[in-house]
Amino acid sequence: MASHSRLLLVEQLDSAGASLADLRPRAQVLRHAGFDVRMVAIATDGDDDLQHGTTERPLPGIERFEEPGALDRVRRAAESMKVDALVWASAAPGGGELAREVGSRWPSWWWPAGWSAATGDGTLAAWTGDADPGDACVVEGDRSRTGRLSLWDGPYALVATPLHAAEAAALFEAFARASDGRDEVDLVVLAHPDAELEAAARAADLLQRVHFVGRAPLEAEGAWFQHARAAFVALERPLSAGLVLRALAAGCPLLPVGHAAEPVARWLRQHGAAWSRVEDPPPAWEAIAAALERKPAVETAVTRGRAVASRRNVESLGAECLAALGGHSTDERRAA
């Protein structure tokens, strides 16, 4: 594909932590590789249940389409721009069903935007090759800046993504054991109150220490991560790689919850950003206790996590993008 080819970047907000702000660094990567880029976001049905949902304010230069009718609007945007190709960012394998529909009209690639429990090869081939979603991600550097005031009075751990009731029960029991004798440590859940989760907290004798504070606007997310003793992430819904990178950049120890989140745990281990043993159940109370006490192994994982986040920048990923897409002609389709 020739330099300065016209490209439509579509971000499907289909994962917990997905954000309109994810488009800008992706677009910078593509522009760094020499493409002219137009940015479009699709709000997935039910995205009010995700991390940010409709709490995000509009961002200049980004068009936001609601899912009903989004397919036609994306097509019209591509036609009006006379695009040479599309890049579709989504946590769904191969970009999901909407990418299948649009990708048949233009040469199209998938940008893996997060981890999903869904299986299958999907429709579009990833321009990132076999790279893990965490290695295909880039986040804005100023999101991790220090100096934010804590949003909570006292020490806390953070449940940063939606949980199944069974996952919540296991987490609450492990947290209760890990924090035995440390009643000052709260568990803050970035979700609205939920009867099943409250019942699980009551069963673990944690009801007075589990607090549901609602979804976090992106502007507040960094403060939550920066001051948390640890954050828990699950794959109850697809999980944004951007959220994981932002947490690491903020120096927050991350613990995946549930067996479904093993791909996230494996990626953290591969990059040295984990401190629990592979054979531990997810998450083990010992791993939680180590995070609450900030043991040396946890501090090492935090340092390595920050380094991982800093390496996933526009320049490094832009060079990879140019190598992946730069040699393709505009009429070559990259559909699987």
Side-chain angles (χ1 to χ4, degrees):
M1 187 176 293
S3 179
H4 302 297
S5 294
R6 293 179 297 274
L7 190 150
L8 183 64
L9 172 61
V10 181
E11 181 89 22
Q12 195 161 357
L13 303 174
D14 59 357
S15 58
S19 167
L20 289 175
D22 293 336
L23 269 83
R24 294 191 296 198
R26 292 195 213 282
Q28 289 170 357
V29 167
L30 294 166
R31 288 167 179 151
H32 189 81
F35 300 103
D36 292 330
V37 181
R38 178 176 176 180
M39 296 178 286
V40 166
I42 297 177
T44 304
D45 277 344
D47 92 330
D48 57 327
D49 294 327
L50 301 181
Q51 172 85 352
H52 307 302
T54 55
T55 63
E56 283 197 277
R57 67 175 186 271
L59 294 178
I62 299 175
E63 301 164 78
R64 177 172 173 145
F65 303 155
E66 300 301 320
E67 186 164 311
L71 187 60
D72 288 337
R73 296 189 68 180
V74 168
R75 285 173 174 159
R76 289 198 296 270
E79 289 167 353
S80 66
M81 188 184 179
K82 297 182 172 59
V83 299
D84 297 301
L86 277 74
V87 169
W88 195 284
S90 169
E97 289 301 315
L98 288 180
R100 181 192 303 274
E101 295 291 333
V102 178
S104 62
R105 296 277 303 275
W106 293 273
S108 302
W109 286 264
W110 172 45
W111 190 321
W115 293 272
S116 173
T119 58
D121 295 331
T123 304
L124 305 179
W127 75 261
T128 53
D130 296 329
D132 190 280
D135 295 320
C137 184
V138 59
V139 295
E140 291 181 306
D142 62 354
R143 294 289 175 189
S144 62
R145 65 183 182 274
T146 59
R148 295 183 176 95
L149 296 176
S150 178
L151 299 175
W152 197 253
D153 184 14
Y156 65 92
L158 188 69
V159 179
T161 64
L163 290 174
H164 282 302
E167 293 171 340
L171 171 60
F172 293 167
E173 289 176 6
F175 182 82
R177 185 175 180 185
S179 61
D180 185 31
R182 303 191 63 177
D183 292 345
E184 77 280 5
V185 183
D186 290 322
L187 191 59
V188 175
V189 184
L190 296 183
H192 298 298
D194 178 279
E196 288 187 312
L197 269 60
E198 288 177 334
R202 186 179 299 108
D205 198 24
L206 282 177
L207 189 59
Q208 301 305 312
R209 295 169 58 197
V210 175
H211 307 273
F212 296 86
V213 298
R215 288 168 288 139
L218 188 63
E219 292 76 11
E221 180 193 76
W224 282 119
F225 281 135
Q226 183 180 327
H227 296 282
R229 296 295 180 90
F232 303 100
V233 294
L235 224 57
E236 190 271 337
R237 297 285 297 266
L239 173 63
S240 165
L243 180 145
V244 170
L245 265 290
R246 293 192 296 269
L248 294 180
C252 183
L254 283 183
L255 278 168
V257 178
H259 292 284
E262 172 56 25
V264 186
R266 182 171 58 248
W267 182 80
L268 291 170
R269 291 195 300 268
Q270 288 172 347
H271 290 281
W275 62 96
S276 58
R277 300 187 302 271
V278 177
E279 64 269 18
D280 285 340
W285 73 269
E286 295 96 336
I288 299 174
L292 296 181
E293 297 172 20
R294 283 301 181 100
K295 295 247 178 120
V298 178
E299 294 293 353
T300 298
V302 166
T303 299
R304 291 174 176 169
R306 284 187 187 273
V308 169
S310 68
R311 288 196 298 269
R312 308 316 297 165
N313 54 50
V314 168
E315 290 74 20
S316 65
L317 209 56
E320 295 174 23
C321 178
L322 181 59
L325 300 184
H328 294 283
S329 63
T330 56
D331 61 352
E332 181 181 1
R333 181 173 302 163
R334 295 288 292 171

